Amino acid sequence: MTVGEWLVKRLPAPPAALRARLESALGPGLGRDAADATGILLEAAESLVRGLLRGDAASRQSALDLLAADALVTYAFEAAAESPAGLVVDASRAMTRLAALAAPAPMSR
């Protein structure tokens, strides 16, 4: 099963505009093996958040990207929960990666 096929099975299904943004954010990741869904979904969420942090994340135009990033992280945890033995490690890794996005850039001298 691919990540795209896995995503289609999620209920409730997201609204069409959100689904399209998720698919766009995932790009080629949609065709990858669903066994890697947690990492693929988190990578896509990180990419969206990075872009939002570089731009104006408080603008109305950012709303769909914010919703998509939230949905991608939610789906990543849903995928991680399918393998409970690794859930703690996956959750810790996800929190560390996402928190690092908010870290201030080092000052250059």
Side-chain angles (χ1 to χ4, degrees):
M1 177 184 319
T2 66
V3 171
E5 292 165 339
W6 180 88
L7 198 56
V8 167
K9 293 182 178 193
R10 302 302 97 203
L11 294 175
L18 180 56
R19 164 154 303 290
R21 187 61 188 107
L22 294 172
E23 290 174 354
S24 173
L26 285 162
L30 284 169
R32 292 180 51 197
D33 192 326
D36 300 323
T38 301
I40 293 165
L41 292 159
L42 280 174
E43 287 171 18
E46 284 179 76
S47 180
L48 282 176
V49 171
R50 250 187 247 102
L52 288 164
L53 290 172
R54 283 193 298 262
D56 182 11
S59 75
R60 222 175 158 81
Q61 292 77 19
S62 300
L64 186 57
D65 282 351
L66 287 167
L67 287 171
D70 178 67
L72 288 163
V73 171
T74 299
Y75 286 137
F77 277 90
E78 208 173 300
E82 291 179 359
S83 300
L87 185 57
V88 172
V89 171
D90 287 337
S92 180
R93 187 175 301 131
M95 288 187 292
T96 300
R97 288 170 60 174
L98 292 170
L101 295 174
M107 296 180 63
S108 58
R109 294 180 181 211

